[in-house]
Amino acid sequence: MAPIKRKGGPDVGSNSQTPKVRAAAGEDRLPKRQKKSQDGQSAKGRSAQPKATEPPIQSEKHTSTLSALGPEEPSFPRGGASILTPLEHKQIQIEATRDVLFEQQSSKKTRNELGEDIENRQVDAGEISKLPKLKGRSKTRNKKGQVITEAREPSVKIEGLSYKRIVPGSIILGQVAQINSQDIALALPNNLTGFVPLTAISDRVTERFEAMLGDMDVDGSEANSVEEIDINLKSFLSLGQYLRAYVTSTSEGTGAKAKRHIELSIDPRKANSGLKKSDLVINSTVQACVKSVEDHGLVMDVALEGEAVRGFMSSKEVGHGVVQGSIEEGTVLLCLVVGHSSNGNIVKLSADPQKIGNVKKSNYLTDAPTVNSFMPGTAVEALVTELTPSGIVGKVMGLVNVTADLVHSGAGPSASDLEKNYKVGSKMKARILCTFPNTEPMKLGISLLDHVLAFRPHEVAATKGSGVKDPAVALPISATVDKATIVKVEQGVGLFVDLGVVGTRGFVHISRISDGKVEALSETAGPYQVGSTHRARVLGYNAMDNLYIVSMEPKIIDQPFLRFEDVHVGEVIRGKVEKLVINAAGVAGVLINLAEGITGLVPEIHMADIHLQHPERKFKEGMPVKARVLSVIPDKRQLRLTLKKTLVNSDVPVWKSFADLSVGAHSPGTLINILPSGAVVQFYGSVRGFLPVSEMSEAYIHDPKQHFRTGQVVSVHILSVEPEQESMILSCKDQTDLSDAQQTALKNLGIGTLVAGTVAAKSDNDLRIELEGSALTARIPLEHLADGPENKSASMMTKIRVGQTLHDLLVLGKVETKRLITLTNKANLIRAAKEGRLLKSFEDLTEGSKADGFIKNITSSGVFVEFADGLTGLLPKNQLPKEVISLPEFGMRRYQSISATIMAVDRERLRFFLTLKTVTSQPKEPSTSLAKTKGLDRGISNPVDEKSQTIDDFTIGMLTKAKIVSIKDTQMNVKLADSIQGRIDVSEVFDSWEEIKDRKHPLRSFSTKQVLPLRILGIHDARNHRFLPITHSGRSAVFELTAKASHQTEKVLDVPSLDKITVGSSWLAFVNNIASDCLWVNLSPNIRGRIWITDVSDDVTLLQDLEKNFPLGSALRVRVTAVDINNNRLDLSARSGIPTAQLTLEDLSAGMILPGRVTKVTERQLMVQLNDKISGPVHLTDLVDDYSQANPTTYRKNQAILVCITALDVPNKKIVLSTRPSKVLSSSLPVKDPEIQSISQLKVNDLIRGFIKNVADNGLFVTLGANVTAYVRVSDLSDSFLKDWKSGFEVDQLVKGKIILVDPLLNHVQLSLKQSILDKTYVTPITFDDMRAGQIVTGKVRKVEDFGVFIVVDNSSNVSGLCHRSEMAEQRVEDVKKLYDEGDLVKVKVLKVDHAKKRINFGLKASYFEDADLEGHEGSDDDEAQDKNGVRLRNADSGESDDEDIDMENRVELNRTQDRDREPNVEDPDTSNIGDNKTSLKRRTGTTGLRTGGFDWTGGIDDETLSPDVTGSESHTAQRKKRRKPEIKTDRTADLDANGPQSVSDFERLLLGQPDSSYLWLSYMAFQLQLNEVTKAREVAERAIKTISMREESEKMNVWVAMLNLENTYGSDESVEEVFNKACQYSDPQEIHERLTSIYIQSGKHEKADDRFQAMVKKFSQDPKIWLNYAAFLFDVVNAPDRGRALLPRAMQALPKFTHLDLTSKFAQLEFRSENGDPERGRTLFEGLLSTFPKRLDLWNVLIDLEMKRSEKDQVRRLYGRVTSSKLKSKKAKYFFKRWLESEEKEGDAKSVENVKARAAEYVRQQERDKAAQEEET
């Protein structure tokens, strides 16, 4: 070996060798005390020596870093011999003796200075290692040598790698154990695991990761975490790969269950830290990253800091089985240096594990310029210097100490004696495992294990029948071993056990031996001695140590799960609630703890079968629960569970893989997404399926969200499944739901029979057909709709409508167990069925016969042809025509119709073969007529035309006669002879337009039994709308005839065909069918055409009702616009101008008026289609000339209207349309809102209206025209301050404003909506400066507090003040909130204005307003004044009683009343002498004479003048005396006759005594109406409202309703609205709305009632009664059930959830009870409720009652059967059985009665069995 070169020292060869062992000859004989002292001396010498030796070595940049050797020391020789000469030995002995004496004196001081026990420090790398004693030494020599050796050569401590010894900067060899999505797990020595983050692999991987993050930022995605980045780390690394890892950090968590974390980096910049260019010698290892992949190899980056060194790996050095092209840039490899380039700048590398692992003879390090070459992963040869029970100590090249611990020396797992395998002084091959950066002198950890040396994962020897080589597979983690044999006991550490896997042992740490603490372990005694067996469980496997990590703790063995991989999908497990997951929406889920470290999430939809309102009440922490596993993702440690009892208790096999599923299988599933077309159903794992809306129920479902909810569990079965695409179609329909009649019909439905049905549903792939007469549902696949080209079926699919009836459908197959019926519309199969040739079973096969079928599959060997009932035959390749064999798939396609000949039948194997080749047979004589072919009777009976005697006489072009049998809209059915029918299409009757007398009903001029001269055209083909030659005729065939006069005289019959028709030609057409967007017409029996709705007529008014104006059979003059021969169709136009269907954008111009079809209606605009290529919008500003009438919803879809083109943008293909009458009708009516097309039309100060386009934060944007938008600033919205201004405006709201700015350059228009700008008579709002003390104002209560109320002054700029509670009434006010509420209208007096603090004090006392009432408010409304003047509190100590006050106040002087009747307008102008104000208030009376309760209801002054001579008291006394006397004499109010009041006076007298009686007031109003005094009736009503006390709310409500009735009958809409608004202010608004709506309904004003209902559902949306009343109105009154049904989803959104159940039930009942309802829809609603709330027995009762009222016996029995089959308490069950029995006794028979009794008996027996089972359990 070459010597090591060091700066400052000579090169010494290997010839100066002194055996190293001599220096340590007698070390074991030293006394213990002397050993300890010498350890201290050695430590001191070690700490002092580097100070003298290291600086010279480290002074230069590239010098060696050997610190253990002095500059005068030579290189170490081969074999690890001593490098000291005898003279040097002598000098060392003398120095050592001196050092020992010094150490004895200073050992204590040294210990204190170092702060640790020096005896425990490690040995310096330069000291001579301790060796066992050797024989043949002299005592003297031994004694001296003993002292010297013990002081200079202490033993190297063997330390295994542990978490505490790992520090940042450590470099460790690891093995890839797991590759996750965001990190890599490396197995480290001594059962340690480190993790490499995604960003610590290599620069290339980091750059790729950052680039993906940058792309996400550019795309605007919200990827805030690394979890959303998809980088496949498995393409960069592989399991079992060895890598050198650099420790970047270690962390230890907090808490009892804290986990330690070691973070690593395999980036070559870190893993190669400390390496220089000179250290990369041959057989050293370096970690490199793939920089680029070239043709001849890989360019590697070794990432040496400050070194220009590159690496290259030849394609031969990549490794066996590794494809060079599959290596990604950025891949990290631990490589072996195999050579250098000539200049040394390129290092040749090898990553071949076989080469790196071959260390027996080569590939280990033999030359080391510095100790930095000794990096983990490098193979070395070490000299054994010491053998101990805990491992091996050695030295590499005599320079660096190395240790192999108990595990990596092999002593522990194999339980072998190291002294047998290794000898001191011998050499051994080892691989460096780790470094110890904090250890002085330098020390390395090595491994002697075979798999580490071989640089490959350990493999278990394969056994017979097993190829398992991975130990983790041979004995999986979590596996339990019943007999684990202890093979070695390590005191204080643990046990090594044999688990039965050859070559791999297990290790049980002392903490995992038992649940309790194990104090001591013994090899020969105790329960854990060598040879004893125990139960154990595998916790893990460390690939570096080749050891299983095992636990013998009973709690671990009994634990159900140790890791997420142990939890299996679909498994029923038990756990405890850990906590609730809370988010912004509430409880989002529940965390369930299954075992230590394993927690699963129960999503919100899986917490229960029903939606829980308060989950926190149901789930408490620590509560045990039973759950089922939905999915497990071990890599992400995610576990989803369900607590739904329907799923947890289900016995159905779990659906967790598409490969295990088959058609017809049943299972419960959870709805996770509900779409208009169906729902997505989730099962277990990743298995999901789609449930079409047509398969959700037997009944029609319009909106699945009305019947199902997310999270609901449904029972489904599979209709179809495709495992490769991982998709399947499901169905909720179950055959047990079939009635007895349906099951019988399904059983009797024969294969090959022809049926008819109605299209119930339509999808992209098939049709759902409801068969007539049986209510069974069948399916027609898309491919079976038609024969011919593939696009023909697709074209037919577009033509078929839901609700259309299809005839002659062939039953192709059925599966009774799954209720699957398959139909076909293929003509060849239907024809074969009619002719009796359809193959349905193997018995129908006959060799040589012709068979019609369709292609099922095409293979390279032939074609499989399927017939009815799944019967399939093979058409071999050699039986195909030669010209198609070379074509792709033989020129055929799947489901193509085919006719073949049966070539051979193998009845033993039940198979048969077909051929397309011509089968030679005797030619048959062609038949000349149908009678000859079929053998029918040639003669006919009773021909209309006596010239015809046989069927053969009827030939094409023959002139004959026929009798009309019946007349339809589009044809006449005629009879040629008995049993021989014909038809005359309406298009074959008239030659010219003038011949048609009634153009709506052309055939009305004919009558039955009329005989017509005719000519035969052919045989009618109803399916293809054409007529066939006579050769297709039969006795049951229908002849196609013509009655045109021109055809009777033509010598050669000229029948028109599609290829003879040219564009532009004119024809007579007759309506054959009416579609939503076009008319289908016939030009002849075999030529059909289409007229778009916009081309039907020039008169658009006729297009509003096509069925009325253009009924079936009506005649039109049309012009051909296009010919489509492929689809056998024409495009026609009946307009005189250019057909709109031919118009293009280039043909259009602004101002053109054209008809269009409304295709979409929204609240903002209409979409109008001019033809199939051109459509445009009609905005709100273009709808009408008066914006207040703009309402797009008045239009309906497919309505034809006239539009005017107002704007045209050809390059962008956009047009704008208008329906303004001034545009399309040239109306002369005034245009209230002119059309604004450009900003130039606007001027400042113009008043203009527009619609709000957007409500932004900075203001409004108002649309003035199609291209003109104005801006309104927030400050220009209102004169007053608006706190929440956005709530006052909404999109599409009509507003009026004045233009305040127009900027044509910037195209900017600014509006103002301020009333002060719009209205010239505007009054400026009151400001704070306008307020004065003593001023009386009105206002509204803004806020109510305990100390008073805050009042906002009316018509002010938000001026408000406080009325303290001491200023509210004369007496003390205890509770302010009982007197006033927010929003109350009040009249207040300004008491004080504080301008400095901007405060106003108000007063509400009644005394503040008495003077003002006398002076200036004589005509005011006292009832309103009472509300506004505050509240008077009666003195509780007052001597007057309430009764006395009422009596005094109710006394009225009749003389004055009579005077008022005679002189109603008398009043006293002089009020200056009125005395006491309070007394005068009680004396004031009105001018029309009604005064009660101390108030003047008319607001007038007493008609008698007070004498100025009399004082106030005298006047008052005189009045009282004068008033009492006539009152006693003349009051005859109670003496009215039995006929009631007959005059105004009578009513007035009665009202004096009962002013609060609404009955009297309403009678008074009726009396006035009898006199035709409508105005006076209104006045009476107004007086009643003012007179009746506020407490009598019901009485006032009666008067309000009477006023509404009065105005509805005698008034206008404005007067009704005025009364209505007042009533809403003073009474309950909701009740007023309801009463007015009821009035409208009773008076027949249904439209107004509808409008009122629409307002109510918006304003009072929280009341379910409103929604129900509206629905009943739509169902029963206006006959609009669809609108009524549409209310339910709206109501569900508006109402709280607790009302949904009752509301849905009421809507369902409405479907049953209304004449316009659909009971089937009601059943669907009830089924949805019962599936969600199966225990709501009231729902069962209601549904049963409804079905009983409809006399649906089968439905009632089915319901009773379902409810009694559910889990009911005995009392409830008895109730239902009793009801059922009573029903059957009345409506059923004896058999049904016995059935009920049998069911009841079975229920009782089951209850007894359950009870007995419970008793046994207890």
Side-chain angles (χ1 to χ4, degrees), residues 508-528:
V508 186
H509 192 267
I510 191 172
S511 63
R512 292 194 176 276
I513 294 177
S514 175
D515 288 339
K517 184 177 180 181
V518 177
E519 297 294 340
L521 297 174
S522 173
E523 291 187 353
T524 59
Y528 306 108

Side-chain angles (χ1 to χ4, degrees), residues 962-1016:
K963 182 184 294 185
I964 299 176
V965 177
S966 62
I967 301 175
K968 307 295 183 181
D969 291 331
T970 59
Q971 69 181 32
M972 292 186 293
N973 297 324
V974 298
K975 182 175 71 172
L976 299 173
D978 290 348
S979 301
I980 299 179
Q981 309 295 328
R983 69 180 291 274
I984 308 171
D985 192 83
V986 65
S987 60
E988 292 295 333
V989 178
F990 305 98
D991 280 314
S992 64
W993 177 259
E994 290 75 14
E995 294 181 12
I996 305 174
K997 297 178 181 179
D998 186 351
R999 285 158 188 164
K1000 283 190 176 181
H1001 305 282
L1003 299 180
R1004 280 189 177 177
S1005 58
F1006 297 90
S1007 61
T1008 57
K1009 298 184 180 180
Q1010 181 180 350
V1011 178
L1012 298 177
L1014 306 170
R1015 198 166 188 174
I1016 298 177

Side-chain angles (χ1 to χ4, degrees), residues 743-769:
Q743 292 182 9
T744 304
L746 179 62
K747 186 176 296 185
N748 296 335
L749 185 65
I751 303 296
T753 57
L754 296 178
V755 295
T758 304
V759 180
K762 180 179 176 182
S763 66
D764 295 336
N765 302 319
D766 62 4
L767 294 177
R768 296 289 171 178
I769 307 296

